[in-house]
Amino acid sequence: QQQVKQSPQSLIVQKGGISIINCAYENTAFDYFPWYQQFPGKGPALLIAIRPDVSEKKEGRFTISFNKSAKQFSLHIMDSQPGDSATYFCAASMDNDMRFGAGTRLTVKP
Amino acid sequence: DAGITQSPRYKITETGRQVTLMCHQTWSHSYMFWYRQDLGHGLRLIYYSAAADITDKGEVPDGYVVSRSKTENFPLTLESATRSQTSVYFCASRRVNTEAFFGQGTRLTVV
């Protein structure tokens, strides 16, 4: 069973718009929730991460919102740029385990 | 060079052959992971390791074997390759529950 569910599968946004990707997890033992960005032909790279003791974390144009009671978290990309076009993965992690969502292919149109 | 490296980058093998994918990291990270990436499935965990000589199964371990005799190396072996194992394989490493660093991936084609 998939422990992390991610939506949407693909997303098209105009330049300057807001991109929103949502994730939900099952296991309440997860205590670290990173988002990874992946460009074609490359490995995933950490974009931003949050721990469950905070409800929001912002780094530049990227914000994670976290709802512990609902077991959901989301990534918001403000002022989306064509260079943000990539595949985004949410993940849920504990010490020796890290599970990913199925990914969202984001396209930002100029 | 510091970092995490995978080899080979590309591999074509025949059904039934044994193939080993290599992963090496220079940070002495305790935790290492193997994932496969397939369209529509994202990254699925094959095996993970908390330390040398400690490994455990992930979501999709069938048909794969791992070993970890040294902290820095975590090879993945397909004992008898099948076409369904055609995929891109990523190795990752990290310290306890922090950012994971990924290799560049190995694109494996089983014909």
Side-chain angles (χ1 to χ4, degrees), chain B residues 37-59:
Chain B
Q37 184 172 21
D38 306 288
L39 196 63
H41 292 280
L43 291 154
R44 290 185 290 175
L45 181 63
I46 304 171
Y47 269 94
Y48 55 94
S49 170
D53 298 322
I54 301 175
T55 62
D56 211 342
K57 296 178 180 179
E59 301 171 77

Side-chain angles (χ1 to χ4, degrees), chain B residues 16-100:
Chain B
R17 288 197 180 263
Q18 182 181 84
V19 60
T20 296
L21 311 183
M22 305 301 293
C23 179
H24 175 79
Q25 52 105 354
T26 62
W27 296 299
S28 299
H29 286 167
S30 299
Y31 296 96
M32 296 189 74
F33 306 83
W34 273 108
Y35 294 88
R36 60 177 290 174
Q37 184 172 21
D38 306 288
L39 196 63
H41 292 280
L43 291 154
R44 290 185 290 175
L45 181 63
I46 304 171
Y47 269 94
Y48 55 94
S49 170
D53 298 322
I54 301 175
T55 62
D56 211 342
K57 296 178 180 179
E59 301 171 77
V60 289
D62 293 345
Y64 303 95
V65 174
V66 293
S67 62
R68 197 168 174 204
S69 58
K70 293 183 178 181
T71 299
E72 61 266 30
N73 296 323
F74 191 37
L76 175 74
T77 298
L78 288 66
E79 295 185 297
S80 178
T82 65
R83 289 181 180 163
S84 65
Q85 293 177 309
T86 293
S87 186
V88 180
Y89 291 85
F90 285 100
C91 177
S93 73
R94 68 174 187 186
R95 292 191 177 89
V96 175
N97 214 13
T98 59
E99 175 185 2

Side-chain angles (χ1 to χ4, degrees), chain A residues 65-87:
Chain A
S65 297
F66 187 84
N67 186 329
K68 187 174 180 178
S69 60
K71 295 189 288 185
Q72 295 176 346
F73 58 110
S74 60
L75 175 69
H76 292 65
I77 305 175
M78 311 299 288
D79 188 26
S80 299
Q81 300 296 312
D84 297 330
S85 297
T87 299

Side-chain angles (χ1 to χ4, degrees), chain A residues 49-61:
Chain A
I50 197 168
R51 298 192 186 273
D53 53 343
V54 297
S55 60
E56 185 175 284
K57 183 174 182 180
K58 184 176 181 179
E59 291 183 359
R61 297 185 293 110

